[in-house]
Amino acid sequence: MTSFPTPAKTTRGRRKSLGGTKAKPSISIDGGAATALTSLEIFAGAGGLAVGIHQAGFDHLGLVEWDGYAASTLRLNSERVLGIDPSRVLHMDAREVDYTRFSGKVDLLSGGPPCQPFSTGGANGGYHDPRNMFPVFLDAVRTIRPRAILIENVKGLTRSKFAEYMEYIQLRLRFPFCKFGVDSTWQEQLEVLRRVNPTDFADDERYNLAMQLVDTADYGVPQRRERVIFVALRADLGLEPVLPEPTHSKLTLMHDQWVSGAYWQRHGMKELDFISDRDRAIRKALQESLLPLEDRLPWRTVRDAISDLPPSVERGKEPHMINHVQHPGARIYPPCHIGSFPDLPAKALKAGTHGTPGGENILNAAHEDGTIRYFTTREAGRLQTFPDEWEFLGTWGACIKQLGNAVPTQLGYIFASSIRDQLRSIEPQFQAAR
């Protein structure tokens, strides 16, 4: 039976955590091979999206991040995992970057503008929140003129209270060269954008845009995380964005658990009845063949993601694996803040403004063996699909904050791969236009 062990005791020494030391904002943007697809990421965080884009075959010309711990994490892993010089990590305010140095050199501009202004767990300040960095990203599009754009943000951005601002973001992405009055507000700019005719701009001055609300569990991430994805392609490429179809499904997981039993066999254990009343109804329908089985892989669960890890260790001890140290003091707060069950995808990891929120980022296996504990940084990295060699710098709280803000690597890889395939489909004319 797969178990979730308590921290192991060891007498080895502890590796010290590193803080965020701001480096000089200098960068070399000489890319690799002439045929390599290039990328620039703004608001790179701890690197989840950057890793996925790298895995999809892009060469990062730069990663812009202002948080000290996240920038240190990026630098530590940049050469070993991303294959780029640490100087390409720009630890600075995205508003202070000279984007003209990247003009005409970037195939994919990506980023996750800070989501707290639109998050249901944030202050809901939206466009009034000083942390709203969408304007910075939108201005960078105009300066850089990338061939493709990939943006990730929170589901809260789709709420009705932000409907006009969502329209503004989409129109700014479609028409980045639209001119506005000096010091005009976004509302005034929106009125101008609503009157725009696509023929007012050359094909290389506008973008074809697609947007999709996704649940990361539907793409093989062992975590329920609803996010908005924007994909845009420059109109002169003659392409419309193709959004990847989901690859995984809850129904397939439930079939493997409650009809075929393949899930429990894979983990070498007897089935555990832990599901909600609503899911019991779905289980009954599946067992009676009343629901069609989807042609998708099963959702990945917490157990799928972390059960093969070695035991974690207590604080102050050297871990058997990078970042695999147990933080004490986990508590759940029923009925809502009860952590994540082992045999479902995890609840969305939370960054928290003042540390980890109560009852969050917790493994709840109380129904199995009494375990209620925080996820270690390494386990949280697995839930965000980071490779195991990616090391996070900082205290446990700083690391969990980085992970709570991160884009799952798997999600980044899938969407970046789709963009890569579209760009490669026009390779001859693409190379001639560079």
Side-chain angles (χ1 to χ4, degrees), residues 289-341:
S289 300
L290 299 178
L291 288 176
L293 191 60
E294 297 171 306
D295 186 21
R296 296 179 188 171
L297 297 168
W299 270 358
R300 295 185 63 227
T301 68
V302 173
R303 195 183 303 274
D304 289 331
I306 71 172
S307 62
D308 65 331
L309 288 172
S312 59
V313 300
E314 297 173 341
R315 286 193 303 180
K317 309 297 182 181
E318 171 117 8
H320 305 293
M321 191 175 193
I322 295 171
N323 294 138
H324 199 31
V325 176
Q326 188 63 60
H327 187 78
R331 293 180 61 188
I332 59 173
Y333 300 90
C336 297
H337 303 286
I338 58 174
S340 298
F341 295 123

Side-chain angles (χ1 to χ4, degrees), residues 215-225 247-249 298-300 345:
D215 184 333
T216 60
D218 291 337
Y219 294 85
V221 177
Q223 181 187 173
R224 299 290 308 276
R225 195 175 184 88
T247 54
H248 293 64
S249 131
W299 270 358
R300 295 185 63 227

Side-chain angles (χ1 to χ4, degrees), residues 186-259:
W186 73 265
Q187 292 94 338
E188 292 168 337
Q189 293 178 12
L190 176 58
E191 290 305 313
V192 174
L193 287 162
R194 284 170 170 168
R195 297 192 296 269
V196 162
N197 189 317
T199 59
D200 294 341
F201 301 95
D203 286 348
D204 64 351
E205 293 178 334
R206 59 186 179 85
Y207 287 80
N208 297 326
L209 175 68
M211 185 191 76
Q212 184 172 351
L213 179 64
V214 305
D215 184 333
T216 60
D218 291 337
Y219 294 85
V221 177
Q223 181 187 173
R224 299 290 308 276
R225 195 175 184 88
E226 291 185 298
R227 291 296 185 266
V228 179
I229 304 294
F230 300 85
V231 176
L233 298 174
R234 213 170 60 199
D236 63 322
L237 301 178
L239 300 169
E240 291 290 338
V242 175
L243 299 175
E245 293 291 331
T247 54
H248 293 64
S249 131
K250 175 180 180 176
L251 283 182
T252 310
L253 171 63
M254 292 191 69
H255 182 274
D256 283 5
Q257 288 177 331
W258 310 115
V259 179

